[in-house]
Amino acid sequence: MTRLTLAIDVMGGDFGPCVTVPASLQALESNPHLHLLLVGDPDIITSSLATADSVLRARLQIIAAESVIASDARPSQAIRTSRGTSMRIALEQVKEGRAQACISAGNTGALMGLAKLLLKPLDGIDRPALMTVLPHQQHGKTVVLDLGANVDSDSAMLVQFAVMGAVVAEEVLAISQPRVALINIGQEESKGLTSIRDAAAILRASPEINFIGYLEGNDLLTGKTDVLVYDGFVGNVTLKTMEGVVRMFLSLLKSQGEGKKRAWWLRLLGRLLQKRLAKKFGHLNPDQYNGACLLGLRGTVIKSHGAANQRAFTVAIQQAEQAVQRQIPERIAARLQAVLPKSD
Amino acid sequence: MTRLTLAIDVMGGDFGPCVTVPASLQALESNPHLHLLLVGDPDIITSSLATADSVLRARLQIIAAESVIASDARPSQAIRTSRGTSMRIALEQVKEGRAQACISAGNTGALMGLAKLLLKPLDGIDRPALMTVLPHQQHGKTVVLDLGANVDSDSAMLVQFAVMGAVVAEEVLAISQPRVALINIGQEESKGLTSIRDAAAILRASPEINFIGYLEGNDLLTGKTDVLVYDGFVGNVTLKTMEGVVRMFLSLLKSQGEGKKRAWWLRLLGRLLQKRLAKKFGHLNPDQYNGACLLGLRGTVIKSHGAANQRAFTVAIQQAEQAVQRQIPERIAARLQAVLPKSD
């Protein structure tokens, strides 16, 4: 494997360097080919690295950024005043070819806007979309997008999301002729919003897309489709709903091994079984698939959960490594030419 | 308790009389004050009742309906040609005072439109909303609406949903000054769709509503709010997403006690623990809270899941019993006068 350099927006996210620096070291430890550019306040980064292994330290470079985009800033304003922020400088590393991808846990709207401004959308794409890959009940995976890069999506955008999702399913998950579905509130053609019905009509008429129609919310994890397309608002609420329910189940399971009043052997068995169950459900733990990929740009940008812990942020860095290795932007660009309508 | 009469659209739902008739008998068995009007094909209903206990049979009346609204019919067209259908005749029983509420598992859009047409919205309500009550992690309950009665909601509708939800929380769940939140894709004021931001501004300025701001999808079950307001599309997808995830967990738990290769005592213990867990999570089983209430009408209408099984449809009938006993439409009407802006 060749050298791989990623830029990290160290200051982004709810916990900033406390999470991003240890996660960066962990990622370096697990991939000897990885180099990282840590963008942020040099003093804070240096002190966070005080006890770091010097071998890992050698694959790190600190890039100074004097300010941070607040997580509650209005994206439009944050973008106007973004010069010198850790997020912008991290993205500039990708733009200028010094890094192959950028990872940030910062303000989603600002990241989306700045990435579009600096890295430019691919031909045929109006707006990038946030995508993740979820494990489903049939032991396969489903590509899910948009998870909130856009608040409002028209039919043309939904079609573009469908095409990008199909390319990821084909190129990354190696599914030939991946099934593509649109989320809706019923399976009948007449159901739902106009934008969704119009997108369905376009997809139905596209021989390059294996469009299977509408699916409802309860099919998110059933494996009935390889690609599930949401508008950004619904996708964001859906993914977070799923995460909330999964976290609740995992915490209920965890409490299962506890309870002081039970006999020691019952507690022991409880804990054994709890471990088995946690293992069985662990693949659904939101920390395991942190890092949504911003698709549709001429570069790779990974958005981590703002509240990601060290383990979850490490997973986001690893998502970036995979996206670069699999050349997702290049492959989407190549396929878009064939699938999307030509603009004259 | 006084006599209670409910009208059942026997023909609605994926399984029609096979589910609705046995569920009706079960509901009669558990409430000696209940009387039911079974609306549908008299031959099918009579044959489904062949082995029914004559004591229960005495509290049943069959009302003939010659046709059924298909679950995939376009609501607008279904409503135009609804004369003589089981759904319409069941609703007419409420309109004409022969029943105090109606339950249907049929076409949601048609039920919503017909109910609005026949029972009329309350003063101040533009469009009724589908509401359910979900158990949350703090051992309380959250009122959730709209679950899909409307596809597209403007800010005025969201405000009306918030008011109706608050009334239900106060009057039915006995929560004083219930907390009301709007679902959004971030907690900051600037986030999300214009309709949501506008609704938030109105609610923030309403002293009668204890508006606590935005919540995100992962807060559906955390108990941070007593009322959570969605537009119908997002609410429908959210509730179904939650159901899908919960069903997956319950089926994974169920498979936990199985496995032929394990020692008999391990299998036995596995099954014991599985039972404990199923009990612990059982309150989240979608069958347990089937039956969404159509709020904002001058009468009580309960929408059951189309795919409801006998147990779930029985729960929907019981929801109707409770809604009638708690006089939900009357209480909402009374409170709306105080809270909603006067139209001159």
mmCIF file of all heavy atoms in Angstrom, chain A residues 45-83:
data_model
loop_
_atom_site.group_PDB
_atom_site.id
_atom_site.type_symbol
_atom_site.label_atom_id
_atom_site.label_comp_id
_atom_site.label_asym_id
_atom_site.label_seq_id
_atom_site.Cartn_x
_atom_site.Cartn_y
_atom_site.Cartn_z
ATOM 1 N N ILE A 45 -2.651 21.064 20.625
ATOM 2 C CA ILE A 45 -2.290 19.790 19.996
ATOM 3 C C ILE A 45 -0.970 19.286 20.578
ATOM 4 O O ILE A 45 -0.849 18.110 20.955
ATOM 5 C CB ILE A 45 -2.181 19.929 18.461
ATOM 6 C CG1 ILE A 45 -3.530 20.377 17.881
ATOM 7 C CG2 ILE A 45 -1.756 18.604 17.827
ATOM 8 C CD1 ILE A 45 -3.514 20.645 16.382
ATOM 9 N N THR A 46 0.014 20.172 20.685
ATOM 10 C CA THR A 46 1.320 19.758 21.208
ATOM 11 C C THR A 46 1.195 19.189 22.620
ATOM 12 O O THR A 46 1.764 18.148 22.936
ATOM 13 C CB THR A 46 2.303 20.959 21.213
ATOM 14 O OG1 THR A 46 2.307 21.521 19.901
ATOM 15 C CG2 THR A 46 3.708 20.520 21.569
ATOM 16 N N SER A 47 0.388 19.870 23.457
ATOM 17 C CA SER A 47 0.286 19.353 24.825
ATOM 18 C C SER A 47 -0.499 18.037 24.855
ATOM 19 O O SER A 47 -0.209 17.166 25.664
ATOM 20 C CB SER A 47 -0.319 20.401 25.760
ATOM 21 O OG SER A 47 -1.700 20.497 25.545
ATOM 22 N N SER A 48 -1.449 17.867 23.924
ATOM 23 C CA SER A 48 -2.181 16.592 23.861
ATOM 24 C C SER A 48 -1.263 15.455 23.408
ATOM 25 O O SER A 48 -1.534 14.285 23.667
ATOM 26 C CB SER A 48 -3.349 16.671 22.867
ATOM 27 O OG SER A 48 -4.202 17.729 23.165
ATOM 28 N N LEU A 49 -0.178 15.835 22.721
ATOM 29 C CA LEU A 49 0.733 14.811 22.185
ATOM 30 C C LEU A 49 1.913 14.533 23.115
ATOM 31 O O LEU A 49 2.781 13.723 22.784
ATOM 32 C CB LEU A 49 1.272 15.271 20.821
ATOM 33 C CG LEU A 49 0.295 15.260 19.637
ATOM 34 C CD1 LEU A 49 0.916 15.951 18.439
ATOM 35 C CD2 LEU A 49 -0.098 13.831 19.294
ATOM 36 N N ALA A 50 1.912 15.201 24.293
ATOM 37 C CA ALA A 50 3.077 15.134 25.178
ATOM 38 C C ALA A 50 3.560 13.712 25.441
ATOM 39 O O ALA A 50 4.752 13.435 25.397
ATOM 40 C CB ALA A 50 2.762 15.847 26.499
ATOM 41 N N THR A 51 2.604 12.819 25.675
ATOM 42 C CA THR A 51 3.015 11.459 26.040
ATOM 43 C C THR A 51 2.957 10.495 24.859
ATOM 44 O O THR A 51 3.074 9.284 25.035
ATOM 45 C CB THR A 51 2.098 10.922 27.160
ATOM 46 O OG1 THR A 51 0.756 10.972 26.668
ATOM 47 C CG2 THR A 51 2.216 11.762 28.419
ATOM 48 N N ALA A 52 2.798 11.037 23.656
ATOM 49 C CA ALA A 52 2.637 10.152 22.488
ATOM 50 C C ALA A 52 3.943 9.450 22.131
ATOM 51 O O ALA A 52 5.030 10.022 22.274
ATOM 52 C CB ALA A 52 2.135 10.958 21.291
ATOM 53 N N ASP A 53 3.809 8.241 21.658
ATOM 54 C CA ASP A 53 4.921 7.445 21.153
ATOM 55 C C ASP A 53 5.621 8.216 20.024
ATOM 56 O O ASP A 53 4.982 8.695 19.096
ATOM 57 C CB ASP A 53 4.311 6.137 20.619
ATOM 58 C CG ASP A 53 5.368 5.167 20.140
ATOM 59 O OD1 ASP A 53 6.468 5.621 19.784
ATOM 60 O OD2 ASP A 53 5.070 3.958 20.123
ATOM 61 N N SER A 54 6.942 8.325 20.097
ATOM 62 C CA SER A 54 7.645 9.140 19.102
ATOM 63 C C SER A 54 7.591 8.538 17.705
ATOM 64 O O SER A 54 7.689 9.246 16.698
ATOM 65 C CB SER A 54 9.115 9.336 19.529
ATOM 66 O OG SER A 54 9.735 8.069 19.572
ATOM 67 N N VAL A 55 7.407 7.211 17.632
ATOM 68 C CA VAL A 55 7.300 6.564 16.308
ATOM 69 C C VAL A 55 6.009 7.027 15.619
ATOM 70 O O VAL A 55 6.003 7.336 14.419
ATOM 71 C CB VAL A 55 7.315 5.023 16.451
ATOM 72 C CG1 VAL A 55 7.177 4.358 15.087
ATOM 73 C CG2 VAL A 55 8.574 4.559 17.152
ATOM 74 N N LEU A 56 4.932 7.084 16.386
ATOM 75 C CA LEU A 56 3.667 7.570 15.815
ATOM 76 C C LEU A 56 3.780 9.072 15.522
ATOM 77 O O LEU A 56 3.345 9.555 14.481
ATOM 78 C CB LEU A 56 2.503 7.327 16.783
ATOM 79 C CG LEU A 56 2.214 5.874 17.171
ATOM 80 C CD1 LEU A 56 1.035 5.828 18.127
ATOM 81 C CD2 LEU A 56 1.926 5.030 15.932
ATOM 82 N N ARG A 57 4.380 9.764 16.473
ATOM 83 C CA ARG A 57 4.535 11.219 16.370
ATOM 84 C C ARG A 57 5.199 11.624 15.049
ATOM 85 O O ARG A 57 4.894 12.664 14.472
ATOM 86 C CB ARG A 57 5.375 11.650 17.589
ATOM 87 C CG ARG A 57 5.587 13.106 17.848
ATOM 88 C CD ARG A 57 4.346 13.792 18.333
ATOM 89 N NE ARG A 57 4.573 15.237 18.471
ATOM 90 C CZ ARG A 57 4.701 16.065 17.436
ATOM 91 N NH1 ARG A 57 4.641 15.601 16.219
ATOM 92 N NH2 ARG A 57 4.875 17.361 17.634
ATOM 93 N N ALA A 58 6.104 10.752 14.563
ATOM 94 C CA ALA A 58 6.840 11.042 13.331
ATOM 95 C C ALA A 58 5.935 11.061 12.103
ATOM 96 O O ALA A 58 6.281 11.640 11.074
ATOM 97 C CB ALA A 58 7.948 10.002 13.135
ATOM 98 N N ARG A 59 4.787 10.419 12.209
ATOM 99 C CA ARG A 59 3.852 10.409 11.071
ATOM 100 C C ARG A 59 2.749 11.460 11.227
ATOM 101 O O ARG A 59 1.721 11.384 10.548
ATOM 102 C CB ARG A 59 3.263 9.013 10.894
ATOM 103 C CG ARG A 59 4.279 8.019 10.316
ATOM 104 C CD ARG A 59 3.638 6.706 9.929
ATOM 105 N NE ARG A 59 3.526 5.803 11.055
ATOM 106 C CZ ARG A 59 2.435 5.142 11.399
ATOM 107 N NH1 ARG A 59 1.322 5.313 10.705
ATOM 108 N NH2 ARG A 59 2.423 4.340 12.444
ATOM 109 N N LEU A 60 2.989 12.379 12.125
ATOM 110 C CA LEU A 60 2.012 13.454 12.372
ATOM 111 C C LEU A 60 2.624 14.791 12.030
ATOM 112 O O LEU A 60 3.799 15.029 12.320
ATOM 113 C CB LEU A 60 1.711 13.516 13.873
ATOM 114 C CG LEU A 60 0.628 12.662 14.454
ATOM 115 C CD1 LEU A 60 0.594 12.897 15.958
ATOM 116 C CD2 LEU A 60 -0.711 13.022 13.840
ATOM 117 N N GLN A 61 1.814 15.659 11.453
ATOM 118 C CA GLN A 61 2.299 17.025 11.255
ATOM 119 C C GLN A 61 1.223 17.969 11.795
ATOM 120 O O GLN A 61 0.014 17.752 11.557
ATOM 121 C CB GLN A 61 2.518 17.244 9.760
ATOM 122 C CG GLN A 61 3.203 18.552 9.432
ATOM 123 C CD GLN A 61 3.206 18.815 7.931
ATOM 124 O OE1 GLN A 61 3.184 17.890 7.123
ATOM 125 N NE2 GLN A 61 3.217 20.081 7.555
ATOM 126 N N ILE A 62 1.634 18.970 12.511
ATOM 127 C CA ILE A 62 0.673 19.928 13.057
ATOM 128 C C ILE A 62 0.559 21.116 12.112
ATOM 129 O O ILE A 62 1.571 21.666 11.671
ATOM 130 C CB ILE A 62 1.108 20.421 14.450
ATOM 131 C CG1 ILE A 62 1.173 19.229 15.420
ATOM 132 C CG2 ILE A 62 0.139 21.483 14.982
ATOM 133 C CD1 ILE A 62 1.768 19.568 16.773
ATOM 134 N N ILE A 63 -0.656 21.471 11.764
ATOM 135 C CA ILE A 63 -0.877 22.644 10.912
ATOM 136 C C ILE A 63 -1.700 23.647 11.720
ATOM 137 O O ILE A 63 -2.805 23.317 12.173
ATOM 138 C CB ILE A 63 -1.587 22.248 9.602
ATOM 139 C CG1 ILE A 63 -0.651 21.333 8.807
ATOM 140 C CG2 ILE A 63 -1.970 23.479 8.789
ATOM 141 C CD1 ILE A 63 -1.191 20.893 7.478
ATOM 142 N N ALA A 64 -1.162 24.823 11.894
ATOM 143 C CA ALA A 64 -1.792 25.809 12.776
ATOM 144 C C ALA A 64 -3.075 26.386 12.172
ATOM 145 O O ALA A 64 -3.128 26.704 10.982
ATOM 146 C CB ALA A 64 -0.810 26.937 13.077
ATOM 147 N N ALA A 65 -4.093 26.482 13.002
ATOM 148 C CA ALA A 65 -5.329 27.177 12.611
ATOM 149 C C ALA A 65 -5.693 28.056 13.787
ATOM 150 O O ALA A 65 -5.672 27.597 14.941
ATOM 151 C CB ALA A 65 -6.442 26.179 12.313
ATOM 152 N N GLU A 66 -6.010 29.307 13.507
ATOM 153 C CA GLU A 66 -6.182 30.222 14.630
ATOM 154 C C GLU A 66 -7.593 30.217 15.204
ATOM 155 O O GLU A 66 -7.807 30.702 16.307
ATOM 156 C CB GLU A 66 -5.772 31.648 14.219
ATOM 157 C CG GLU A 66 -6.579 32.205 13.046
ATOM 158 C CD GLU A 66 -5.832 33.319 12.303
ATOM 159 O OE1 GLU A 66 -4.588 33.332 12.354
ATOM 160 O OE2 GLU A 66 -6.506 34.160 11.696
ATOM 161 N N SER A 67 -8.578 29.693 14.460
ATOM 162 C CA SER A 67 -9.943 29.741 14.996
ATOM 163 C C SER A 67 -10.723 28.466 14.669
ATOM 164 O O SER A 67 -10.227 27.565 13.979
ATOM 165 C CB SER A 67 -10.670 30.979 14.462
ATOM 166 O OG SER A 67 -10.632 30.969 13.049
ATOM 167 N N VAL A 68 -11.945 28.426 15.182
ATOM 168 C CA VAL A 68 -12.800 27.235 15.068
ATOM 169 C C VAL A 68 -14.192 27.685 14.652
ATOM 170 O O VAL A 68 -14.676 28.718 15.126
ATOM 171 C CB VAL A 68 -12.923 26.512 16.434
ATOM 172 C CG1 VAL A 68 -13.657 25.200 16.288
ATOM 173 C CG2 VAL A 68 -11.571 26.317 17.073
ATOM 174 N N ILE A 69 -14.850 26.911 13.811
ATOM 175 C CA ILE A 69 -16.254 27.193 13.490
ATOM 176 C C ILE A 69 -17.110 26.582 14.604
ATOM 177 O O ILE A 69 -17.008 25.380 14.875
ATOM 178 C CB ILE A 69 -16.647 26.604 12.123
ATOM 179 C CG1 ILE A 69 -15.890 27.353 11.016
ATOM 180 C CG2 ILE A 69 -18.151 26.677 11.901
ATOM 181 C CD1 ILE A 69 -16.165 26.848 9.614
ATOM 182 N N ALA A 70 -17.928 27.401 15.235
ATOM 183 C CA ALA A 70 -18.766 26.892 16.331
ATOM 184 C C ALA A 70 -19.802 25.918 15.782
ATOM 185 O O ALA A 70 -20.282 26.075 14.657
ATOM 186 C CB ALA A 70 -19.458 28.054 17.038
ATOM 187 N N SER A 71 -20.152 24.926 16.599
ATOM 188 C CA SER A 71 -21.088 23.914 16.113
ATOM 189 C C SER A 71 -22.496 24.488 15.942
ATOM 190 O O SER A 71 -23.304 23.962 15.188
ATOM 191 C CB SER A 71 -21.110 22.702 17.032
ATOM 192 O OG SER A 71 -21.548 23.101 18.302
ATOM 193 N N ASP A 72 -22.776 25.595 16.635
ATOM 194 C CA ASP A 72 -24.115 26.173 16.500
ATOM 195 C C ASP A 72 -24.113 27.417 15.602
ATOM 196 O O ASP A 72 -25.095 28.159 15.576
ATOM 197 C CB ASP A 72 -24.701 26.498 17.882
ATOM 198 C CG ASP A 72 -23.819 27.481 18.653
ATOM 199 O OD1 ASP A 72 -22.695 27.783 18.177
ATOM 200 O OD2 ASP A 72 -24.248 27.929 19.723
ATOM 201 N N ALA A 73 -23.027 27.641 14.860
ATOM 202 C CA ALA A 73 -22.979 28.804 13.962
ATOM 203 C C ALA A 73 -23.900 28.575 12.766
ATOM 204 O O ALA A 73 -24.118 27.448 12.337
ATOM 205 C CB ALA A 73 -21.552 29.018 13.482
ATOM 206 N N ARG A 74 -24.460 29.662 12.237
ATOM 207 C CA ARG A 74 -25.225 29.576 10.999
ATOM 208 C C ARG A 74 -24.252 29.255 9.873
ATOM 209 O O ARG A 74 -23.269 29.990 9.684
ATOM 210 C CB ARG A 74 -25.840 30.934 10.680
ATOM 211 C CG ARG A 74 -27.314 31.004 10.902
ATOM 212 C CD ARG A 74 -27.803 32.403 10.590
ATOM 213 N NE ARG A 74 -28.785 32.799 11.573
ATOM 214 C CZ ARG A 74 -30.095 32.580 11.429
ATOM 215 N NH1 ARG A 74 -30.560 32.012 10.336
ATOM 216 N NH2 ARG A 74 -30.936 32.949 12.357
ATOM 217 N N PRO A 75 -24.512 28.176 9.112
ATOM 218 C CA PRO A 75 -23.554 27.795 8.072
ATOM 219 C C PRO A 75 -23.172 28.937 7.137
ATOM 220 O O PRO A 75 -21.982 29.170 6.899
ATOM 221 C CB PRO A 75 -24.279 26.667 7.333
ATOM 222 C CG PRO A 75 -25.140 26.049 8.385
ATOM 223 C CD PRO A 75 -25.575 27.191 9.258
ATOM 224 N N SER A 76 -24.165 29.713 6.641
ATOM 225 C CA SER A 76 -23.852 30.749 5.663
ATOM 226 C C SER A 76 -22.855 31.749 6.240
ATOM 227 O O SER A 76 -21.869 32.111 5.603
ATOM 228 C CB SER A 76 -25.133 31.456 5.230
ATOM 229 O OG SER A 76 -25.840 31.900 6.365
ATOM 230 N N GLN A 77 -23.097 32.166 7.477
ATOM 231 C CA GLN A 77 -22.193 33.129 8.090
ATOM 232 C C GLN A 77 -20.842 32.494 8.427
ATOM 233 O O GLN A 77 -19.787 33.119 8.241
ATOM 234 C CB GLN A 77 -22.845 33.703 9.349
ATOM 235 C CG GLN A 77 -21.917 34.680 10.043
ATOM 236 C CD GLN A 77 -22.653 35.609 10.978
ATOM 237 O OE1 GLN A 77 -23.844 35.470 11.201
ATOM 238 N NE2 GLN A 77 -21.934 36.572 11.524
ATOM 239 N N ALA A 78 -20.904 31.244 8.898
ATOM 240 C CA ALA A 78 -19.657 30.552 9.253
ATOM 241 C C ALA A 78 -18.754 30.440 8.023
ATOM 242 O O ALA A 78 -17.535 30.594 8.120
ATOM 243 C CB ALA A 78 -19.971 29.168 9.809
ATOM 244 N N ILE A 79 -19.354 30.207 6.873
ATOM 245 C CA ILE A 79 -18.562 30.050 5.652
ATOM 246 C C ILE A 79 -17.921 31.385 5.260
ATOM 247 O O ILE A 79 -16.757 31.441 4.885
ATOM 248 C CB ILE A 79 -19.445 29.475 4.522
ATOM 249 C CG1 ILE A 79 -19.827 28.027 4.875
ATOM 250 C CG2 ILE A 79 -18.733 29.532 3.170
ATOM 251 C CD1 ILE A 79 -20.929 27.437 4.037
ATOM 252 N N ARG A 80 -18.706 32.465 5.387
ATOM 253 C CA ARG A 80 -18.172 33.789 5.029
ATOM 254 C C ARG A 80 -16.949 34.153 5.873
ATOM 255 O O ARG A 80 -16.026 34.786 5.393
ATOM 256 C CB ARG A 80 -19.255 34.865 5.227
ATOM 257 C CG ARG A 80 -20.155 35.062 4.012
ATOM 258 C CD ARG A 80 -20.899 36.387 4.088
ATOM 259 N NE ARG A 80 -21.729 36.506 5.278
ATOM 260 C CZ ARG A 80 -22.946 35.984 5.407
ATOM 261 N NH1 ARG A 80 -23.492 35.305 4.412
ATOM 262 N NH2 ARG A 80 -23.638 36.140 6.517
ATOM 263 N N THR A 81 -16.974 33.724 7.137
ATOM 264 C CA THR A 81 -15.876 34.107 8.031
ATOM 265 C C THR A 81 -14.978 32.905 8.349
ATOM 266 O O THR A 81 -14.439 32.786 9.445
ATOM 267 C CB THR A 81 -16.448 34.682 9.339
ATOM 268 O OG1 THR A 81 -17.317 33.682 9.914
ATOM 269 C CG2 THR A 81 -17.250 35.936 9.112
ATOM 270 N N SER A 82 -14.831 32.022 7.364
ATOM 271 C CA SER A 82 -14.156 30.752 7.652
ATOM 272 C C SER A 82 -12.645 30.798 7.489
ATOM 273 O O SER A 82 -11.962 29.838 7.850
ATOM 274 C CB SER A 82 -14.737 29.652 6.757
ATOM 275 O OG SER A 82 -14.503 29.965 5.400
ATOM 276 N N ARG A 83 -12.122 31.866 6.923
ATOM 277 C CA ARG A 83 -10.673 31.904 6.692
ATOM 278 C C ARG A 83 -9.924 31.728 8.030
ATOM 279 O O ARG A 83 -10.252 32.356 9.021
ATOM 280 C CB ARG A 83 -10.284 33.221 6.030
ATOM 281 C CG ARG A 83 -9.250 33.030 4.919
ATOM 282 C CD ARG A 83 -9.201 34.224 3.996
ATOM 283 N NE ARG A 83 -10.307 34.196 3.049
ATOM 284 C CZ ARG A 83 -10.254 33.567 1.863
ATOM 285 N NH1 ARG A 83 -9.177 32.908 1.507
ATOM 286 N NH2 ARG A 83 -11.290 33.589 1.054
#
